[in-house]
Amino acid sequence: MPVEPATAERAEELVHNYEDIANQVSQATQRRGPGTQPRLVVVTKLKPSSDIKALYDHGVRHCGENYPQELEAKAKEASHAPRLGKRSWTLRLTCGPFLWRPIPNLFAIETLTSVKAANHLESTLSSLSPPRSTPLNIFIQINTSGEEQKAGLPALSAASDSDSSSSSSPNEVVDVAVHILTQCPHLRLRGLMTIGSFDSSTSAHPNPDFERLKETRTALLSALRGRDDVKDRVAELEHEAEGGLELSMGMSNDFVEAIEQGSTNVRVGSSIMGARPPRHAT
Ligand SMILES: *Cc1c(COP(=O)(O)O)cnc(C)c1O
């Protein structure tokens, strides 16, 4: 079914908001120093496909969804719309457990937290016909604030990956990363993602959640470097353009600070799309 166009007024509003945020992203990147600009993912969850189409027509290629069923429905609509060809369309799931049905043009999943989920994705992707032409990018979600209601694996401390002061299973992140690198050819370990606490994003500077995500990255890379089975892959992760293993951090409230602290991927929803409607049970 074709995607209805947004009204001219709505399209203008979206483009205006997007340009405003994109400018702030550029300015924050310049303040940080030389280097690649972070990817700006527009979080379109609970907003209609007509909004996505208006942004797409403006050149936006990274949209984030949160709910697998909604993502699937929107991907289907996009693939049927004449101007939203399957090939160039990129959707990325920024949150939610993991998809259970294949979406051929999915760019990344940012919420992986277990070997089990990795295996599920790997087997889904390996049975795809036609197969994907590239591996699916994976960000491992880290619960940097330790809040109970937040998903994600515990953060690692930069001091030492064998730090005994941390929780009972301090190497879960390492285990999941090694599993992806050695057992999941259809997945590509791309980075780490955090949401962070509301308090951290409003009161503390620099944001301690973002610092914890950076420390986790450092500790993970150092743990991987020490393992014979993945040593070669670590070199790849470190040599990829601009920092290798990415940091996905920063949302509407705190993306500027996240960029200043080293984010390579910001996920901005309400500042571009406006307030979201309440989520209805279907
Ligand atoms: C909804 C959502 C966002 C966007 O949040 P805003 O505050 O509206 O910018 C970013 N990341 C994830 C994981 C989300 O679920």
Side-chain angles (χ1 to χ4, degrees):
M1 92 201 87
V3 177
E4 294 291 323
T7 63
E9 199 183 23
R10 176 61 175 159
E12 206 172 288
E13 180 188 19
L14 288 169
V15 165
H16 177 272
N17 293 346
Y18 174 80
E19 285 301 323
D20 178 39
I21 299 299
N23 275 332
Q24 293 184 52
V25 168
S26 300
Q27 284 163 13
T29 308
Q30 275 163 25
R31 276 198 296 282
R32 168 167 94 180
T36 311
Q37 186 144 310
R39 200 178 293 110
L40 169 55
V41 178
V42 183
V43 179
T44 50
K45 66 185 178 202
L46 303 176
K47 295 291 179 177
S49 288
S50 54
D51 281 358
I52 299 177
K53 181 168 164 30
L55 289 163
Y56 185 93
D57 288 344
H58 185 62
V60 174
R61 292 294 179 273
H62 288 289
C63 292
E65 292 290 337
N66 201 11
Y67 309 108
Q69 269 161 310
E70 186 183 354
L71 169 70
E72 202 182 350
K74 284 173 168 172
K76 206 172 272 174
E77 278 184 304
S79 69
H80 290 148
R83 304 238 3 242
L84 303 183
K86 253 189 190 173
R87 285 258 186 84
S88 53
W89 182 247
T90 302
L91 282 165
R92 42 193 1 256
L93 185 63
T94 58
C95 194
F98 49 86
L99 80 169
W100 57 88
R101 259 172 278 171
I103 292 167
N105 42 6
L106 189 69
F107 175 76
I109 290 190
E110 298 206 24
T111 49
L112 196 92
T113 52
S114 70
V115 164
K116 193 175 159 206
N119 284 338
H120 177 87
L121 280 173
E122 176 61 26
S123 74
T124 305
L125 292 171
S126 61
S127 63
L128 257 192
S129 166
R132 279 176 63 100
S133 53
T134 53
L136 179 62
N137 293 300
I138 298 293
F139 290 73
I140 300 172
Q141 184 173 354
I142 309 295
N143 184 353
T144 52
S145 58
E147 293 165 289
E148 243 169 61
Q149 75 275 19
K150 290 243 157 72
L153 298 176
L156 300 178
S157 99
S160 153
D161 40 286
S162 55
D163 185 7
S164 54
S165 68
S166 50
S167 72
S168 51
S169 47
N171 289 320
E172 271 181 283
V173 185
V174 178
D175 291 345
V176 173
V178 168
H179 185 80
I180 293 171
L181 291 169
T182 59
Q183 309 295 319
C184 303
H186 294 83
L187 305 181
R188 173 181 164 194
L189 182 62
R190 185 80 183 226
L192 304 177
M193 185 276 258
T194 185
I195 294 177
S197 75
F198 180 75
D199 278 356
S200 294
S201 82
T202 46
S203 51
H205 308 282
N207 183 315
D209 282 314
F210 299 160
E211 289 305 304
R212 251 170 247 134
L213 195 68
K214 283 158 70 174
E215 285 178 20
T216 302
R217 179 186 182 279
T218 304
L220 171 61
L221 285 172
S222 114
L224 295 179
R225 244 180 262 120
R227 296 183 51 126
D228 286 340
D229 51 348
V230 292
K231 245 196 225 144
D232 301 347
R233 309 297 305 280
V234 184
E236 270 167 45
L237 288 174
E238 283 174 327
H239 287 134
E240 259 156 43
E242 193 56 26
L245 199 65
E246 290 197 28
L247 297 168
S248 175
M249 54 192 202
M251 320 201 322
S252 286
N253 274 336
D254 51 22
F255 72 93
V256 168
E257 187 165 33
I259 292 170
E260 288 166 355
Q261 287 181 243
S263 175
T264 64
N265 187 83
V266 293
R267 313 177 309 267
V268 179
S270 44
S271 296
I272 296 173
M273 310 302 294
R276 283 181 288 273
R279 190 185 174 201
H280 297 290
T282 42

